[in-house]
Amino acid sequence: MRQIFLSSLIPAALLLTGCVGSSSRTPPIELIPDMKHQMKVKAQTDQARRPVTNTVAIGHLKDDDAYYTGVVGDKYIGLNPEKIDRALLERGQKRFTIYCTPCHDQTGNGRGIVPTRFPSWLPSSLQDPRQKAMVDGEIFNIMTIGRRTMPSYANQITEKDRWAIVAYVRALQRTTSGTLADVPSNLKAELK
Ligand code: HEC
């Protein structure tokens, strides 16, 4: 009786230990599979994700050149197409602080942290007469396609945010050319 018990126990034990030639961390019988087998979605390859030629995804038709490039024909558009209000300016200020100040600094003078480390990467000042004289579309276009050593920000900043930045840059430029006439009459008395 004892022998029968042992003779059936040994093959059973061998089966459980799985003494196969190849090494594997998985036991042949997985009592606790630890979520090893589960439904999952595998990342698509580049090939599978490529858009079908001559098609445009819904909501991604960008045929409004003025809005998406700042240029119509061979001319920059003059005015920001977004409605200029406080919300847009505040959005522009936030995006400018994130994306532009590292090089252009908060005043737009061009003495940001990057050029202090890489002097060859010194931006032009946004407060110079030439940059002040630019129309809105040109500033938008510089952000969109870059210019000389100034990189393109089209992939990081959405079109709406780029227009918000244009609005903020204009406000920033006004700060260095304000005159007494710009101060509302009810606030003039407070000037020191
Ligand atoms: C990595 C550094 C860097 C960042 C970040 C950067 N710029 Fe510039 N920018 C430059 C440099 C360098 C130039 C000067 C390019 C030249 O004339 O060679 C420049 C020039 C410009 C000019 C003037 C171009 C001219 O013809 O004088 C504008 C306008 C401008 N940048 C806007 C922006 C705005 C808006 C942002 C934020 C979205 C921004 N830049 C972010 C480096 C930067």
Side-chain angles (χ1 to χ4, degrees):
M1 185 61 198
R2 194 159 158 239
Q3 269 183 353
I4 301 174
F5 177 70
L6 266 181
S7 56
S8 59
L9 199 68
I10 290 167
L14 283 178
L15 269 178
L16 279 174
T17 49
C19 46
V20 209
S22 64
S23 63
S24 161
R25 295 174 70 93
T26 319
I29 297 170
E30 289 178 65
L31 293 178
I32 305 168
D34 284 339
M35 299 170 77
K36 272 190 191 130
H37 311 282
Q38 50 184 306
M39 302 278 287
K40 66 175 179 227
V41 180
K42 287 194 173 159
Q44 288 187 328
T45 60
D46 172 50
Q47 201 64 35
R49 267 189 282 139
R50 209 163 280 171
V52 185
T53 0
N54 299 330
T55 60
V56 174
I58 293 174
H60 287 263
L61 179 63
K62 296 185 173 179
D63 65 346
D64 183 350
D65 284 354
Y67 192 81
Y68 291 104
T69 66
V71 183
V72 172
D74 56 1
K75 284 209 165 66
Y76 295 119
I77 62 163
L79 288 178
N80 196 329
E82 285 291 339
K83 186 169 154 280
I84 314 286
D85 55 13
R86 199 182 171 95
L88 188 83
L89 284 169
E90 279 173 358
R91 177 78 186 166
Q93 181 179 36
K94 284 204 183 109
R95 299 292 105 177
F96 181 89
T97 309
I98 294 170
Y99 292 108
C100 317
T101 55
C103 295
H104 286 275
D105 87 32
Q106 304 227 355
T107 65
N109 262 328
R111 309 276 165 208
I113 188 94
V114 174
T116 60
R117 302 285 198 285
F118 301 95
S120 58
W121 218 357
L122 187 72
S124 28
S125 168
L126 302 178
Q127 302 290 7
D128 281 349
R130 186 172 62 82
Q131 282 75 4
K132 281 187 175 177
M134 286 174 177
V135 289
D136 288 354
E138 182 167 6
I139 297 181
F140 181 88
N141 194 256
I142 291 169
M143 269 184 271
T144 307
I145 62 170
R147 177 172 291 184
R148 294 180 292 268
T149 46
M150 155 86 201
S152 154
Y153 277 85
N155 289 327
Q156 290 96 319
I157 316 176
T158 63
E159 283 86 11
K160 178 153 183 172
D161 282 349
R162 268 176 267 151
W163 284 118
I165 292 176
V166 170
Y168 181 69
V169 166
R170 298 271 93 140
L172 206 57
Q173 290 173 332
R174 280 288 300 274
T175 62
T176 55
S177 54
T179 63
L180 210 54
D182 292 324
V183 184
S185 51
N186 58 336
L187 294 177
K188 273 196 180 127
E190 292 176 26
L191 286 181
K192 292 198 179 94

